[in-house]
Amino acid sequence: MARFIEHTLNILPVLFEGLGVTLKLTALSALFGTLLGLLAALARISRNPLFTVPATLYVNLFRGTPLLLQLLFIYNALPQLGLLIQPFPAAVLGYSLNSGAYIAEIIRAAIQSIDRGQMEAARSLGMSYGLAMRRIILPQTYRRLLPPMVNELSALTKDTSLASTISILELMKYSSQFVSRTNLAWQTYVWTAAFYLVVTMTLSALASRLEKKLEARG
Amino acid sequence: MARFIEHTLNILPVLFEGLGVTLKLTALSALFGTLLGLLAALARISRNPLFTVPATLYVNLFRGTPLLLQLLFIYNALPQLGLLIQPFPAAVLGYSLNSGAYIAEIIRAAIQSIDRGQMEAARSLGMSYGLAMRRIILPQTYRRLLPPMVNELSALTKDTSLASTISILELMKYSSQFVSRTNLAWQTYVWTAAFYLVVTMTLSALASRLEKKLEARG
Amino acid sequence: ACGGARSSDGGQPSGGSAAQQPSGGAQAPADAGAEAPSAGESAQPASSLERIKAEGVLRVGIDASYPPMEFVDEDGKTPIGFDIDLANAVAEKLGVKADFTIIDWAGIQAGLLGGHYDVIMSSMTITEERQKEMDFVQYLTMGIAYASRPGVEVRSDADLDGKIVVVQEETTAQYYVEDLMADKGIQPKELRSFPYATDAFRELANGRADVVAIDAPVAGYYAQLDPDQYRVTGFAEMDPDPIGIALRKGETELREALQKAVEELEAEGVLRELQVKWFGDAAGQ
Amino acid sequence: MGEPIIVIEGLKKSFGRLEVLRGIDLTIHQGEVVVVIGPSGSGKSTLLRCINFLEKPTAGRVLFHGEEVGQRLVNGRLVPLPEKVLDQQRARMGMVFQRFNLFPHMTALENVIEAPIRVRKLPRHEAEELGLRLLRRVGLADKAGQYPNFLSGGQQQRVAIARALAMEPDVMLFDEPTSALDPELVGEVLQVMQDLANDGMTMVVVTHEMGFAREVGDRVIFMDGGLILEEGPPEQIFGEPRHPRTREFLSKVLH
Amino acid sequence: MGEPIIVIEGLKKSFGRLEVLRGIDLTIHQGEVVVVIGPSGSGKSTLLRCINFLEKPTAGRVLFHGEEVGQRLVNGRLVPLPEKVLDQQRARMGMVFQRFNLFPHMTALENVIEAPIRVRKLPRHEAEELGLRLLRRVGLADKAGQYPNFLSGGQQQRVAIARALAMEPDVMLFDEPTSALDPELVGEVLQVMQDLANDGMTMVVVTHEMGFAREVGDRVIFMDGGLILEEGPPEQIFGEPRHPRTREFLSKVLH
Ligand SMILES: Nc1ncnc2c1ncn2[C@@H]1O[C@H](COP(=O)(O)OP(=O)(O)OP(=O)(O)O)[C@@H](O)[C@H]1O
Ligand SMILES: Nc1ncnc2c1ncn2[C@@H]1O[C@H](COP(=O)(O)OP(=O)(O)OP(=O)(O)O)[C@@H](O)[C@H]1O
Ligand SMILES: NC(=O)CC[C@H](N)C(=O)O
Ligand SMILES: [Mg+2]
Ligand SMILES: [Mg+2]
């Protein structure tokens, strides 16, 4: 027991440091991923093939291949093609592109789940497509977006555990380095799991609170 | 160009070998994951806390932590706790537990999306809960299950790219081996991406065909 | 016989890298430097040595799972080890600081060629294949040792037959065993490879595998750390391989500066000191 | 008037703090057609659903053939009956829902014979014979192999009636069986219900179809706010409603 | 009879191979109330939706104030008008839907003033004045701050009418405005529509409410199978329908 406490005291500071990187990477990627996803979603539901085709290619490519491959491509292959990106920006790029593809589908599904009658009512009042989208459709998606976006944010948090392959030292990497150094596998992993769970559970808790607030409006 | 063809001829056989392992791992994990997921889903919607509590813990734990951590825990920490599992079975266990948690939520959502009136109609005819679930509710979920299950199967395929951390030689590992030996990063990654895309796109194509068939019934 | 400092008559194959013609690296600046190694070319971008000096940082790629060569301290994050000390000393000779990038071994070469760091100092064996992609400055030699689980005695290459053999992926130890399988008909029960050397030893500890094939100093480190679990029972039947600092091809100025630094460190006895510090008495005779 | 089949005593039902039924007493006799009317939210559906225990009453009791349905009062506490007993009670009460609730993955015939085979344990060929007979009775002999989604609303509701009849119930409960239908399709369903009434089936019908209530009902119940405010033969309720709420309601509905 | 506001000529509409409108000619005059009746699937909604170009006609044309709506025939091909022009045309035709289609994230007042502010570019205070006036007109002055989900169906539909009126349209199109309502709530919506008609609004109303058609309609159109089978004043259509399909339909609906 005393040993367990001692280990814990050693593990925690390292994990906290890793958590910081994990959260920073997650937050930046979520931000850019959401912007990218919104654009891609709007492009996909437009009726102009100049928008739909590239958006569809993007979404399918990034949803159809492993994240690990995408990260390695950005880190190792792009320099061969003349584009050298530093590790952290490369990671943010990779995670943004990847989550953007998933978020695009989330937003598209949310938009398409809004009753067609809403768009028709707006158009019948003389609103343009863009105005109707901005003022009528998108605001109604927020509540529906919340659960899948929180899922995606959780997924992103967990996926950052792959960033060590491109030399980012985040929570998971610190954890496994600690294990290799001390051989305290299960103790370290349990603590690491707890860290991830705290993040993902906090996200869900915040989301369901926000959802209740939005629901109050009826 | 001639060099590109030469590389390709070198890369392809290696990747094919990896693909075999990837598919085998995916298929086995999907099988066990689905069984596990069905049980967990039924447990979660039951009203008996003896079932709901463990099922909820299981689902939250495996959805709330990174797959990589789960694999490493099974492979590295379980032996310390007295349970030694060989690499391939360990991988199947890890992927089954992980996908089982996601599949549980998929099945639960599908069951809960079936109109409550269906269960009520069945019960009002004197059917028991189990009979109604088996004959009336579950068969109606199949069509709704198809898209998310195919997504999950795709996710599983892509996630097997992490299995190399516990020494499984699958597609991604062969790919990165090839890169490290030949330094043909982008060529190899493009081919690897193509392999994954073929699998994931084939899955979607099969699914949408199956969906149309099921839809034909109305 | 398992690890030694570079000696002027040491096992360097073909006097290799130093004499090699620059044949173009991945980066434009490297190419430019390759074609015009003299620093006087004002129209050309600065050579990588100039850039390193200007930035004051030598960026070093390491695989921090390779004790005692490069691993992390007990805090789980600070890189330490023979190569770390050496890199710091080399950097000091160049008048700069070493900055370490921790990356998986399998991707370490791609990371260098991509330009994510300037050199690899991670016990990289100088092989013919690698010399096609990179230049090297040798500083050690190492053989491959077999560390067996208690109850297993792998003394020779032939003893690998029927065993579960574990290696770190994409190391010369893996290539060596693969060659044995292909050329000598030795058939291990399974050849298992992991991203990190530490994973390999964990396989021995929990009894899931029989033998680890790995650079001798690493095997020696583990044997010393926990003699009950790990024992060095034999060696690969080969001459020790040269170990060197890897850099992109054509960066002649940098290579020459590194070469000079290593030679000075050897002359000053620093290399020797580091060996004693990290390999103990058993090392470097 | 026949024997009492259903006896409801002091029935109360709350959802959280919302009291939806506030004390209902009602007896339904063999062969009687009771029509329940009342404004939206007055508790009509809840009353029907309490009868076959799709909703659990908060207080009071429902007797079916003299037996308590779903739960029993033991030492002042309501204790649920074994599921098997409840299933058997439900099997003897047919229910028809506003939204049909046909099983969409089964043909019309399969919808009708599923429960007879699985619950009554009829051999398949007997069940099919019964099913076809009932489909003929609701005028849909030719639709036996059709999936519900290819049937009109009126046809679906008639299949739903056949499905309920296939359990050979002692009483049929109808919850606004025609209000999800296009106006032109209402007639065909009402016709089937009228035939059923003529054949002597005991029926409780929640409906807004005042024509049906007047012509087919033996007794009309007017509910509001979770209470029965007025009941009587249709001539009296429609001709000279006593309660002001009844008058107000009827004036709105019979615009 | 006033000026023609809407002129429909040879209007056809197909969905894939399904011909839903098979050649409609119809003129609607200033101040006229035209009621469209017909069985389900006869194309009533599609006709209405073609008028304001929510559906794109396959052939023929719709003139609004003499201008083609949404598209124009150029060298034998239908060419879409610029979106801006279409938006302006739509702004002058109000539409009321069966399912209300209020914007659920906006209060009743916000629903009403959104388009006046964004499309007509009214200053907010003017729009609010207008909005409150219109809500008063439909009897909902006290519900201005309420979100749609807290309103009854009848109230929602009245807000929807106010919302359409807020664009000060020249014509109002109603697509079964009361058929999603509880029977008791139908009256209040019909009353608002009747007031509107009395105030001289030009209206096209698809409905199953035969009482309204008879009392308020200037002209009744009977559609079936994508064609207008019969039209005339309500007395004639209801009193002595000429076409056998009309008779059949009316006999079913007026059970
Ligand atoms: N499961 C439930 N949870 C909470 N409230 C409920 C539930 N079921 C019904 N209610 C509420 O109980 C009240 C009565 O509902 P009920 O469905 O019995 O009315 P009704 O008379 O059938 O009305 P309608 O004519 O609209 O069908 C309503 O206020 C309704 O919102
Ligand atoms: N977007 C669409 N795509 C395909 N078919 C359609 C579409 N909209 C309508 N239809 C079909 O066109 C036909 C006419 O539909 P419409 O809605 O105009 O009929 P309606 O007279 O309004 O019927 P109801 O009384 O049921 O509203 C129907 O068969 C309908 O299924
Ligand atoms: N750091 C290492 O893993 C070095 C391993 C081995 N010396 C090689 O070069 O392949
Ligand atoms: Mg009801
Ligand atoms: Mg319609």
Side-chain angles (χ1 to χ4, degrees), chain A residues 56-79:
Chain A
T56 306
L57 278 179
Y58 158 61
V59 168
N60 286 341
L61 185 64
F62 279 84
R63 285 166 44 103
T65 55
L67 172 58
L68 187 57
L69 182 61
Q70 294 161 21
L71 291 175
L72 288 175
F73 191 92
I74 290 172
Y75 194 77
N76 289 333
L78 284 191

Side-chain angles (χ1 to χ4, degrees), chain C residues 63 66 70 105 122-125 130 168 170-172 215:
Chain C
D63 154 37
Y66 216 59
E70 44 271 326
W105 178 253
S122 194
S123 321
M124 181 171 270
T125 304
R130 287 171 180 163
Q168 182 183 12
E170 299 308 297
T171 58
T172 46
D215 283 329

